[in-house]
Amino acid sequence: MTERGVPDRVVVAERLAAEAGFEKSCIPEVGRLLRLAAASKPGGVVAESGTGSGVGTAWLHSGLGAGARLVTVERDEELARRAAGVFADDDRVRVLTGDWRLLEQHAPFDVFFCDGGGKRDAPGRVVELLAPGGLLVLDDFTPSADWPPRFEGEVDELRLFYLTHPSLDATEVLTTPSSSAVVAARRV
């Protein structure tokens, strides 16, 4: 691990993102949350929608138990290829290229970082892919002190969906002063 507790693979994936001009990588504050989520399920199936260059994947990998496996999907073929190279030496990790629904054949998930497809276009299906007790992490929200939560003056229906879903116990976690994540567990 490098300084600040940033795993080596994260550093490599961040470099690949910079080389590719990809600017939507996972921030360290969310990365540490992902490491914790993966570590909480040492023999689990961990999934990610929206691999990008593999920064979030690398954070998940840093918490991956010896008996766990990680599957991630990226629709951009070049980004997926680059990310796959970061994990080429670890057969617990599989990087898929294509639509997020490719993940369905690997479900149910003990941890699901839904950072790409599914989050907005099929939130009900995202919840269904979780195993009982499975953790869901959704980032890139803007904190709201209001209830129901608001974004740009309107009720944030997407965030409200996850925070009030009857199959989830969910909360919003401040990751930076200007960003938050929804973290949820599927009820058993």
Side-chain angles (χ1 to χ4, degrees):
M1 246 185 234
T2 61
E3 62 181 295
R4 302 178 334 246
V6 177
D8 293 338
R9 289 182 203 256
V10 171
V11 173
V12 171
E14 287 174 336
R15 181 178 43 78
L16 292 175
E19 290 171 1
F22 184 75
E23 298 177 351
K24 297 180 181 179
S25 292
C26 177
I27 63 173
E29 294 83 356
V30 172
R32 289 188 290 274
L33 179 63
L34 296 177
R35 177 172 46 204
L36 173 72
S40 76
K41 307 290 184 175
V45 178
V46 179
E48 176 187 37
S49 168
T51 314
S53 67
V55 175
T57 315
W59 279 108
L60 287 164
H61 181 269
S62 70
L64 208 60
R69 58 190 173 92
L70 169 58
V71 60
T72 181
V73 66
E74 172 57 46
R75 66 178 172 217
D76 181 296
E77 191 173 325
E78 180 60 21
L79 285 174
R81 185 190 64 73
R82 288 172 181 257
V86 176
F87 306 98
D89 65 334
D90 192 334
D91 61 4
R92 297 174 301 162
V93 181
R94 187 157 176 213
V95 179
L96 307 174
T97 304
D99 185 82
W100 77 274
R101 287 176 181 86
L102 291 173
L103 293 173
E104 292 178 342
Q105 61 191 323
H106 302 276
F109 303 125
D110 299 296
V111 176
F112 187 8
F113 177 39
C114 191
D115 193 34
K119 176 181 173 179
R120 289 179 176 15
D121 56 324
R125 186 64 185 133
V126 166
V127 173
E128 292 170 1
L129 294 177
L130 288 172
L135 298 175
L136 177 63
V137 179
L138 307 151
D139 68 345
D140 299 327
F141 289 102
T142 300
S144 173
D146 300 315
W147 188 260
R150 302 181 79 74
F151 178 67
E152 296 182 345
E154 302 292 326
V155 172
D156 186 341
E157 297 293 342
L158 181 67
R159 186 173 4 187
L160 189 61
F161 173 87
Y162 289 109
L163 289 172
T164 63
H165 194 284
S167 295
L168 299 175
D169 284 312
T171 192
E172 187 169 1
V173 177
L174 194 65
T175 52
T176 71
S178 61
S179 66
S180 62
V182 171
V183 181
R186 183 155 187 193
R187 292 186 176 145
V188 179

